[in-house]
Amino acid sequence: MKDFTFHRPRAVAEAVALLKGRAEAKLLSGGQSLLPLLKLDLAEPTDLVSLAGIGELKQIRVESDRVVIGALVSHDAVNRSPEVAARIPALAELAGLIGDAQVRNRGTIGGSVAHADPAADYPAALLALGATIATDRRKIPADQFFTGLFETALARDEIVTAVHFPIPKRAAYRKFAHRASKYALVGVMVAQTANGVRVAVTGAASKVFRVAAMEAALGKKLTAEAIAGIAVPAADLSGDAEASAEYRAHLVSVMAKRAVLACA
Ligand SMILES: Cc1cc2nc3c(=O)[nH]c(=O)nc-3n(C[C@H](O)[C@H](O)[C@H](O)COP(=O)(O)OP(=O)(O)OC[C@H]3O[C@@H](n4cnc5c(N)ncnc54)[C@H](O)[C@@H]3O)c2cc1C
């Protein structure tokens, strides 16, 4: 690991200023994804800007039709939040499925969405629930946020401050997890929202994606039978040592049906 300068700003504006002046600086939240990269010398920042001292990023609040989760809220806090459990139980459940207890205690929602790991769980929730990502300078719809493998619409010096989740009529998440890491080999969230049914898949391709054919069928009838004949082409999916593209395609169908059944 290379030497770096550690900064602990007390406000978002201060953190943005630190990033702007330092081209090779990186933000640090829970460190669950960044620290392994530092240890392997896969990232060599000159400066680490820790968000840990910014209290405003640690809040969960409920507005009339949405739950707003601050970027620095840990997966464990989302999992245990009575506000989240009462309004979007599928989101609380999803957070409880991430990694292990240590990862959930340190890892944050802001770090997870900014990192955009193709097998991470939150991206499926953001896309299926039609969430909006708030940053220090703008609001980005989830449909425009995840742009590629570990790539997002964020500028280099842009900080995720919160995620706004509209409260769905119903939603459920089902994943087939990697046995060791618990990352999704395939995870599917199905949500019945004010704007129709949305189906989002994580773990299966280079980035999270929606399945339009399933959404159309489930919009007519929210039953597992409605999507019985709908498959995602394996040619569009990832294949690796953990699972072939064909197996992932099969898992998408199975997890989608389980999520629909859990919505009932
Ligand atoms: C053993 C293990 C198992 C795991 N299993 C799972 C799993 O099952 N499912 C899952 O979804 N994830 C899993 N993870 C990943 C975990 O959820 C991480 O916490 C998450 O991916 C990153 O969050 P973090 O707060 O630790 O971010 P960090 O590691 O601190 O940062 C990650 C990246 O995001 C940037 N960043 C951080 N915060 C912000 C911000 N507010 N705005 C802009 N950029 C920011 C950083 O600069 C860095 O590039 C696992 C991790 C480990 C180590």
Side-chain angles (χ1 to χ4, degrees), residues 139-220:
K139 290 191 172 157
I140 310 170
D143 281 311
Q144 296 164 22
F145 185 81
F146 299 101
T147 55
L149 186 68
F150 296 105
E151 281 181 8
T152 69
L154 291 171
R156 191 200 60 79
D157 58 358
E158 191 167 10
I159 298 180
V160 175
T161 54
V163 183
H164 294 237
F165 290 97
I167 298 169
K169 292 175 188 156
R170 60 186 91 181
Y173 179 66
R174 289 293 178 268
K175 82 166 160 177
F176 193 87
H178 185 280
R179 279 178 162 236
S181 72
K182 305 293 188 251
Y183 273 109
L185 281 183
V186 165
V188 180
M189 184 173 266
V190 174
Q192 191 177 36
T193 74
N195 300 316
V197 176
R198 293 168 64 104
V199 178
V201 178
T202 190
S206 58
K207 70 181 179 88
V208 64
F209 63 92
R210 288 170 61 189
V211 186
M214 287 187 182
E215 292 181 353
L218 293 171
K220 292 184 191 134

Side-chain angles (χ1 to χ4, degrees), residues 26-35 51 71 75 97-100 103 106-108 110-112 114-115 119-122 154 158-160 175 181-183:
K26 278 201 86 65
L27 288 170
L28 176 68
S29 285
Q32 295 303 295
S33 295
L34 183 54
L35 291 189
L51 297 178
H75 310 326
L97 298 173
I98 295 174
D100 53 31
V103 170
R106 297 296 309 172
T108 68
S112 179
H115 193 57
D121 295 290
Y122 272 127
L154 291 171
E158 191 167 10
I159 298 180
V160 175
K175 82 166 160 177
S181 72
K182 305 293 188 251
Y183 273 109

Side-chain angles (χ1 to χ4, degrees), residues 19-43:
L19 291 177
K20 278 195 189 302
R22 295 164 178 82
E24 300 301 324
K26 278 201 86 65
L27 288 170
L28 176 68
S29 285
Q32 295 303 295
S33 295
L34 183 54
L35 291 189
L37 294 178
L38 295 184
K39 287 179 188 169
L40 293 167
D41 286 339
L42 291 172

Side-chain angles (χ1 to χ4, degrees), residues 1-6 24 38 41 43-48:
M1 195 187 296
K2 302 283 185 295
D3 287 349
F4 52 78
T5 306
F6 189 79
E24 300 301 324
L38 295 184
D41 286 339
E44 299 181 345
T46 54
D47 299 76
L48 279 189

